[in-house]
Amino acid sequence: MRAAKPFDPLHLDVERFARESGALQGAWPLEAFERLTDSQAERQAPAGRQVQWQAGGQRFERVGAPAEVWLHLGAHATVRLVCQRCLQAMDVPLEIDRSFRFVRHENEAAELDAQVDEDVLVLSRSLDLQELVEDELLLALPLVPRHENCRHPAAGLAETPAADEAVAERPHPFAALAALKRDLT
């Protein structure tokens, strides 16, 4: 009897992985993720940083319909971004926990994608799991990275949620003019 061929995360046969309820996990160096590294405060990822990941495949048989093929993916990493308040480097933890449903054709994926909330991809005999992990980590990046508490260089004031609320509670500078206008009419 021939031993089952091991799964290669860089050339993953998703259908076989799901059929055999495959499971993979590991760590890749952060610098292996070129696009993610390009989004960081420093072009060079801090030494020793890694992306920890795990993947699992599932296949659900359906009566009168093709089986559903699923890939569950989780990963976490810490990247260094620039705080948009103080413009200093900061570490930002990223976490992903996603499930993907695979279908056979592009048009089926497009049709299902419009109908359901789940992520739908086209089946591939050679899915690059590292690329998918990188795509998902890029989507997990904050739009505006900023420290919880930091000093804004322009204002010289501590920026905190309490300070943001105080600014929101101040009367609008044109409120007095609006009141005057109401009184005149």
Side-chain angles (χ1 to χ4, degrees):
M1 179 179 254
R2 200 169 85 177
K5 182 179 171 187
F7 295 109
D8 178 357
L10 301 179
H11 303 283
L12 187 63
D13 180 343
V14 177
E15 189 167 24
R16 185 178 139 238
F17 188 65
R19 184 176 54 248
E20 295 179 18
S21 298
L24 290 169
Q25 65 180 12
W28 287 309
L30 189 57
E31 58 266 7
F33 295 84
E34 188 175 318
R35 294 176 295 146
L36 189 58
T37 303
D38 286 348
S39 69
Q40 294 191 92
E42 296 104 20
R43 287 289 240 204
Q44 185 80 19
R49 293 226 175 153
Q50 295 187 326
V51 174
Q52 303 286 330
W53 61 273
Q54 66 276 343
Q58 280 188 302
R59 180 181 164 106
F60 297 105
E61 298 297 332
R62 300 182 319 166
V63 177
E68 287 185 5
V69 174
W70 287 84
L71 175 73
H72 305 287
L73 183 64
H76 65 273
T78 299
V79 295
R80 182 155 293 181
L81 302 176
V82 174
C83 172
Q84 296 303 297
R85 282 185 179 152
C86 67
L87 303 177
Q88 298 299 310
M90 63 183 279
D91 286 341
V92 177
L94 301 176
E95 290 279 335
I96 58 170
D97 184 14
R98 305 289 301 263
S99 293
F100 301 92
R101 180 176 170 188
F102 284 82
V103 295
R104 300 217 175 269
H105 307 288
E106 282 287 337
N107 55 353
E108 184 182 0
E111 188 177 307
L112 270 175
D113 205 29
Q115 296 172 4
V116 297
D117 289 334
E118 58 212 29
D119 292 314
V120 182
L121 300 173
V122 177
L123 264 175
S124 168
R125 286 199 168 275
S126 184
L127 175 72
D128 185 340
L129 207 51
Q130 185 174 2
E131 188 175 311
L132 183 58
V133 167
E134 183 174 26
D135 289 345
E136 294 303 314
L137 288 171
L138 285 166
L139 290 171
L141 287 171
L143 291 175
V144 182
R146 58 184 182 204
H147 293 105
E148 289 260 341
N149 297 307
C150 67
R151 297 194 63 79
H152 191 285
L157 301 172
E159 293 264 351
T160 63
D164 291 342
E165 289 173 17
V167 169
E169 291 176 9
R170 275 192 281 176
H172 193 276
F174 294 106
L177 286 174
L180 183 60
K181 186 177 176 184
R182 274 194 308 268
D183 291 343
L184 292 174
T185 55

